[in-house]
Amino acid sequence: RYQIHTGLQHSIIRPTQPNCLPLDNVTLPQKLKEVGYSTHMVGKWHLGFYRRECMPTQRGFDTFFGSLLGSGDYYTHFKCDSPGICGYDLYENDNAAWDHDNGIYSTQMYTQKVQQILASHNPRRPIFLYIAYQAVHSPLQAPGKYFEHYRSINNINRRRYAAMLACLDEAINNVTLALKQYGYYENSIIIYSSDNGGQPMAGGSNWPLRGSKGTYWEGGIRAVGFVHSPLLKNKGSVCKELVHITDWFPTLITLAEGQIDEDIQLDGYDIWETISEGRRSPRVDILHNIDPIYTKAKNGSWAAGYGIWNTAIQSAIRVNHWKLLTGNPGYSDWVPPQAFSNAGPNRWHNERVSWSAGKTVWLFNITADPYERVDLSTRYPDVVKQLLRRLSQFNKTAVPVRYPPKDPRSNPKLNGGVWGPWFKEDEKKKKADKSKGVNKQKKNKNKNKKKAN
């Protein structure tokens, strides 16, 4: 489902927010369990944990080993959300995994866990393994030996990033070798995907694409990925069709011969034939997002959106070759690779092309201009109107944003120093029952006193 259909269309789930993926959203592992799959998750969850029902083991995973938050230290698995609000964040199923707190770098630790799972499972029984490595998210940390090949990179952030990626490459290789060693490989499908564009301020590079992580420019939303499997009909081919993360749900359930309930309103499509046989994608559009809370564009208006859409609102949509952005799309520069400058802003600032503020509608032909250098919004007003109407249609189906304020009870200090579920819905009820119980006890005591007298 698109973010507008889960209520998670604004920002991310913060550690201190009482928020998680709504419990009525059926997950991929839940559907795969219905058809006999063992389901295991290793790595980063980041879908909320404020109550027990939000935890991975309650959302379809038989086992979970990893972190609940979006980022943290790769060695200590410790994370501060703000000064004084700090805690440990490594879990085995529903409990803090203190016994694994021995300073192993998370990429390597997660790989060892995956190898253990594969070694102990029967390869003739179906298995779904979701591995969400922490790398290459900040903080930029990597074991020393991976730096050796990258001494020529002056920019320290870029060098660290390269070392982290080298370690991740090795991890993917080790997982693949384990699939072969334990007899899974011939009947396996490996999907490798990134979640967003790079962060140039933290070693990443999207050049020559525009923008960065957290924006709706191609540099923020176009992610690399590949599918590797002996079951693919066309191997070694490049797919240039439209594919979106929502497509994995129907694609994998259909491959596993599971059932997709007719009443579930899905935004994804089964794209297996597109990937395996090179067929056209059933998808003609992608709603990148509509975020009604993000900072409104000062110059945005209904008039600028032809009375169809308020262009102050941050949104982006792709229909066939066309992409439309409205509102404040985020950091919009083109940042050249910083591999050989020591954070030398002089060099890459000279190469970057900035966009003056003031605009609130952009239109690009992404096939012809993937770098978003030629804005066509004034040349094709009819296309702009058409895409604004599509945006407006999508917006009619949006659910309200879920972005609750901080809950002070989330502080790990109140939870044994660990980030974890803190919200107890039946607390009030318990308190009410308790006070009833206390009153009863008092009454009984008084009765007994009277009897004694």
Side-chain angles (χ1 to χ4, degrees):
R1 281 186 177 157
Y2 287 139
Q3 304 94 306
I4 61 160
H5 296 145
T6 62
L8 299 175
Q9 60 269 60
H10 176 66
S11 190
I12 56 172
I13 296 175
R14 308 280 167 189
T16 54
Q17 278 181 318
N19 197 10
C20 73
L21 178 73
L23 300 175
D24 57 358
N25 280 245
V26 181
T27 66
L28 179 57
Q30 281 170 333
K31 296 303 293 176
L32 293 176
K33 273 173 81 74
E34 287 176 9
V35 282
Y37 273 71
S38 290
T39 56
H40 303 273
M41 174 178 170
V42 175
K44 165 178 163 176
W45 175 240
H46 206 194
L47 285 174
F49 59 87
Y50 77 104
R51 42 193 278 207
R52 226 180 69 77
E53 295 89 333
C54 301
M55 295 283 280
T57 50
Q58 307 294 312
R59 304 306 298 269
F61 287 107
D62 294 332
T63 69
F64 165 60
F65 180 75
S67 65
L68 296 174
L69 307 186
S71 65
D73 190 283
Y74 281 73
Y75 291 98
T76 64
H77 321 296
F78 204 74
K79 164 79 174 180
C80 290
D81 185 56
S82 56
I85 313 286
C86 301
Y88 182 66
D89 179 28
L90 184 65
Y91 268 75
E92 181 130 44
N93 300 321
D94 294 334
N95 299 305
W98 291 111
D99 50 337
H100 286 274
D101 184 16
N102 37 25
I104 299 181
Y105 185 66
S106 78
T107 302
Q108 295 165 326
M109 182 172 65
Y110 290 158
T111 305
Q112 287 169 12
K113 191 69 187 174
V114 171
Q115 289 164 328
Q116 286 165 16
I117 291 168
L118 292 172
S120 58
H121 183 80
N122 176 356
R124 285 186 291 282
R125 313 251 331 129
I127 185 170
F128 171 63
L129 189 48
Y130 171 55
I131 316 164
Y133 282 107
Q134 202 181 335
V136 288
H137 200 288
S138 60
L140 302 179
Q141 297 171 295
K145 70 171 187 175
Y146 296 98
F147 285 85
E148 287 165 18
H149 299 295
Y150 304 106
R151 287 196 185 126
S152 62
I153 301 178
N154 291 331
N155 182 313
I156 186 64
N157 279 351
R158 189 68 179 160
R159 197 185 322 155
R160 285 183 183 135
Y161 191 95
M164 293 167 83
L165 196 54
C167 184
L168 180 64
D169 279 347
E170 191 179 277
I172 304 297
N173 183 41
N174 288 337
V175 169
T176 312
L177 291 174
L179 289 171
K180 290 178 175 173
Q181 182 184 349
Y182 299 116
Y184 299 88
Y185 178 77
E186 291 306 323
N187 193 31
S188 69
I189 296 167
I190 302 170
I191 297 166
Y192 178 93
S193 171
S194 176
D195 54 355
N196 44 247
Q199 177 52 275
M201 306 305 158
S205 173
N206 306 308
W207 179 262
L209 298 178
R210 184 176 187 176
S212 64
K213 173 182 175 171
T215 73
Y216 298 166
W217 301 108
E218 290 297 284
I221 56 174
R222 185 183 285 229
V224 291
F226 63 80
V227 176
H228 175 84
S229 174
L231 308 174
L232 287 168
K233 291 204 173 134
N234 294 358
K235 296 181 178 64
S237 59
V238 176
C239 172
K240 294 197 172 181
E241 294 290 305
L242 283 187
V243 171
H244 187 254
I245 191 166
T246 51
D247 299 332
W248 294 125
F249 184 87
T251 303
L252 294 179
I253 292 167
T254 307
L255 272 173
E257 297 176 358
Q259 285 298 308
I260 294 171
D261 312 324
E262 284 176 18
D263 57 340
I264 294 187
Q265 294 288 300
L266 286 188
D267 296 308
Y269 297 86
D270 177 358
I271 49 161
W272 182 248
E273 289 180 349
T274 306
I275 292 167
S276 178
E277 299 169 35
R279 300 214 188 166
R280 295 303 309 265
S281 172
R283 174 181 283 289
V284 292
D285 55 18
I286 294 174
L287 176 70
H288 292 308
N289 200 19
I290 299 169
D291 184 343
I293 291 185
Y294 194 79
T295 317
K296 302 285 185 288
K298 288 195 183 87
N299 305 13
S301 65
W302 284 95
Y306 301 98
I308 301 165
W309 182 258
N310 180 358
T311 65
I313 293 168
Q314 187 196 48
S315 71
I317 188 170
R318 170 85 183 258
V319 178
N320 293 316
H321 302 296
W322 296 107
K323 177 181 173 186
L324 180 92
L325 301 99
T326 73
N328 180 350
Y331 180 82
S332 60
D333 290 354
W334 291 265
V335 185
Q338 303 154 55
F340 304 105
S341 70
N342 211 352
N346 304 336
R347 190 188 84 87
W348 53 268
H349 275 280
N350 294 342
E351 291 183 31
R352 68 209 282 185
V353 188
S354 293
W355 237 103
S356 54
K359 282 182 65 62
T360 58
V361 179
W362 294 261
L363 179 72
F364 300 99
N365 181 328
I366 293 296
T367 310
D369 175 28
Y371 315 137
E372 297 169 298
R373 293 200 179 248
V374 185
D375 171 34
L376 301 169
S377 58
T378 49
R379 205 183 307 174
Y380 296 103
D382 288 351
V383 176
V384 171
K385 288 177 195 168
Q386 188 190 332
L387 268 63
L388 289 172
R389 282 190 202 100
R390 191 81 185 95
L391 259 182
S392 176
Q393 282 173 337
F394 270 122
N395 201 40
K396 288 191 177 89
T397 67
V399 301
V401 177
R402 299 163 62 103
Y403 198 72
K406 273 183 183 185
D407 185 336
R409 292 177 295 176
S410 61
N411 192 334
K413 281 179 186 162
L414 307 174
N415 193 20
V418 179
W419 288 104
W422 72 84
F423 190 88
K424 314 265 188 305
E425 258 192 279
D426 45 355
E427 265 180 9
K428 283 178 189 167
K429 206 176 126 198
K430 273 185 192 165
K431 275 181 187 165
D433 292 348
K434 226 182 189 181
S435 58
K436 274 183 197 168
V438 168
N439 291 341
K440 248 189 185 174
Q441 278 179 338
K442 276 183 182 168
K443 275 182 188 169
N444 290 343
K445 264 187 185 172
N446 291 341
K447 267 186 191 170
N448 293 341
K449 267 185 186 171
K450 277 178 188 171
K451 273 183 190 171
N453 290 341

